[in-house]
Every structure is written in structure tokens, then in C-alpha cells.
Amino acid sequence: MIRKTVSNVQEALKGVEDGMTLMLGGFGLCGIPENAITELVRLGIKDLCCISNNAGVDDFGLGLLLQQRQVQKMISSYVGENDEFERQMLSGELAVELTPQGTLAEKCRAAQAGFPAFYTPAGYGTEVAEGKETREFNGKMYVLEEAFKADYSFVKAWKGDEAGNLIFKGTARNFNPCMCGAAKITVAEVEELVPAGALDPNEIHVPGIFIQRIFQGVDYEKRIEQRTVRKRA
Amino acid sequence: MLNKEGIAKRIAKEVQDGYYVNLGIGIPTLVANFVREDINVEFQSENGVLGMGPFPFEGEEDADIINAGKQTITTMPGASFFDSATSFGMIRGKHVDLTILGAMEVAENGDIANWKIPGKMVKGMGGAMDLVASAENIIVAMMHTNRAGASKLLKKCSLPLTGVGCVKKIVTNLAVLEVTNEGFLLLERAPGITVAEIKNATEGTLIVPGDVPEMRI
């Protein structure tokens, strides 16, 4: 067994520097690497390019990095829930590259799987395709999209073991598996870190080979963005 | 004239037994409430769940189980969770049978605009561009005109496009229409609405095939 465990978030983020490109898992506030974000804020690392489907809310998730002006560029599909984000974008402090959600996921997966680029129909004929190569296959038009190149990938899983194997819960899975192994170094934080052998190999969602560092996360808030309920009959 | 629930009710009649369906945010979300109970349908949410159920009972919300609108949800028996690349693989690979989404504008050639208004804060396209570029069966749920009374069914979209030539069917507060090579083909009128009123509210080419029946909801 090849051990991937590090003792805490400080050790897990060693080597992260100003100006790097980071991938961060999560959809809205669901399944985000809360511990890694908190540590990035504490370290004050700046001029970051962040690849993340969303940009958090004003006082949680990636919004915390935006508040401290640590982000220079965001690559996302939807950034609607964040006033500080809007202010920085409109003032030109923050660069934003909006990318269709499926394309965003596939640009991560392509990096993970060793594809330099792929063709997708998403965005053909729109401003997303401007300046990009297009090609017809079987009578339909496609846009060439390139794999991401990132320095670090921060993902969050439900359970993980010492070998870096990961299991996710519910829709907190989202972009996390696509980002594993898609950057030079992938750091996984988990709600429950267990010894190797404690997880059933049949039930692993992401094999440890894609993970360089894994640590036991602490103090998960798991904030709900839209609490919707129904009344009991 | 239909209200939002009415539009959702009419679209629900398009949902067939055995369909996997992706519902967008807004009116499309309401469709789930009106699908016949004697058929088997699974709802997909692009953040990574198939077999979505209703909202949870108070106290049973789970931060790890949400839909694409970031709302807390439940799952039905037979549900599954998956990652975002797999989710869009289902969509791009045409495994999802029906996509229902909203629009700001639709053109008579099937172009759709629903993600950006120049000069206003752009929130992003989310999964809309992937959905419209991939799905073969797309129904648009929308109001026929905007708040100022201007038509949203146009010869050509004025807003930045989400996708080209992709919309097949439109259900509005006034009518059901099909996108054809010749323009918008009027299939049904909303209760109490005349063909003249629909014509008046449609900027794009409207084809009226003789008698147009009233919708049955």
C-alpha cells in the first residue's frame, strides 16, 4: 500500500504559491473543500486562477477567497449568488471565463485521462465558440475544447483511506471525481479517514492513484444554500 | 391565457412512460408536480442525480443531497448519484429523453437565448448550453411576450445565443407551437385565446394550419 496521508491541512497545502491555477470541487456549496479554502485564506496566497463550477456565496466557500482579493481569475459555469464577485467582475478586478457546465467537467476529466482536447456540441454558434476550432461530424457541428492545466486540485470526499481511495456521498460528488488527478497535485480532504482495508474495494468511487495527499478534515459546516422542505401531511 | 402552473400542466402531458427527463429552473421545475401518476418517469438533475424526489420533510434536509437549483431534495427508489462528467455524458450522449427549459427568446429557426442580457450582470450559462446543444427533444416553457408586451418568439434572437437550431416545441401562456423549416407552426391555443391574439404576440413567422384546437389540460 502506498500511503497518501498527511497529518493536517497545513501539510496538505505545502507548495501552493501565488499565481497558481487551482481546481476546487463542489456544486454551489455542496461538496466543497472547506478546509483547503480556509487554509488558502489563512495563507493569504494571491493572484490565483480558480477552476470551480461556482464561486460560493459572499461569506462562505470561494466567496471567502474573493473577499480577501486572492483570486485574479475564475473559470466557472455559473456565478450568480455572490455580490462581492459581481462587484469585482464589473470593476474589472476579477477576470471571469464562463464555460458551459458539461464542458467544464469534461475539461477536468480530459486532463485526468490524458486527452489534450475534445469536441463538444455545447456552445457551437455562440460566443463561447468564438476563436475556437469547429468541425462537423455526421452532419452536426462541434467545438474543440482543450483540457485544463492546473497546479493543484482540491477535492472533498465523504470517506477516504490511507491509500487515497475515495467514496462520496449524494450530490456532494459532482465535480470532485473529475478533478482527481487532473492537476499536478491532488489534495483530498475527507469527513472520515480510515485505515487501508477498511473500505470495500468494490465501492471505491476514485482510486488512490489519482490522489497525492489525503487528510482528515475538521469542523465541516456543510451550509445549505436553498433550504426547501414540504409539510408533513 | 395560462399562468405558470398552466404551462407546466400542459408540458406535463408531453412526458411519456419510461422517459428520463431533465427539468430546468423556473416553470420547468413545476412540471414534476403534474406528471401522471400511472407512468414511470425519472427526473435527472445535472449536478449528479437521477431519480429525484420531492422536497424533504422539515428536519430531514441533507446538505449533501441537492438539485441543480441548489435546493434540498429527496431521492426515489431506484435513484443514483454520479459525477458531473457522467451527468453531462448522459445529456450529450442523448440518454436523457426530454429536456424542458425556460427561454428569454426563441427564433423561428429554433435558436434559443436564455443566459445573458448585455449590460446586465452575467451569471453564467450553467448547463444550458450543453443541454440545448445535445438534447433531441427540447421543450421550451416561456411567456409569449415580455413584461413590456414585446414578443419573445422572434424572426431572429436579439440576445446572445445559448444554442442554434435546437428548439423543437414551445409552450407559452398563449399557445403550443412547433418549430418547422417554415417558421412557428401553431398547434394549439390556450383556453379563451384567439388565433389573432397569438398572431399579434408573435414577431416570427406564424403558420396557422386551418382550425387550431384549444389546449386540453
Side-chain angles (χ1 to χ4, degrees), chain A residues 54 77-79 86 100-103 121 126-127 140 169 171 174-175 222 226-232, chain B residues 55-56 58 60-64 66 70-72 83-84 88 92 116 121 123-126 130 133 161:
Chain A
N54 312 93
S77 86
Y78 190 82
V79 292
E86 182 171 347
Q101 196 175 135
T103 301
T126 76
E127 61 186 63
K140 188 176 164 97
K169 180 174 160 247
T171 54
N174 57 63
F175 283 81
K222 298 219 248 178
Q226 305 282 343
R227 186 178 300 273
T228 45
V229 295
R230 72 191 141 128
K231 291 261 176 263
R232 281 172 206 279
Chain B
F55 294 148
E58 219 163 333
E60 291 179 3
E61 315 91 277
D62 184 340
D64 289 327
I66 63 168
K70 285 118 186 173
Q71 298 171 311
T72 46
D83 66 70
S84 301
F88 282 91
R92 210 182 296 109
K116 184 175 182 178
M121 167 65 185
K123 296 188 169 192
M125 68 291 281
D130 307 271
L161 295 179

Side-chain angles (χ1 to χ4, degrees), chain B residues 136-148:
Chain B
E136 293 198 317
N137 195 3
I138 299 176
I139 300 178
V140 167
M142 67 194 291
M143 296 312 227
H144 212 101
T145 53
N146 65 22
R147 285 196 189 112

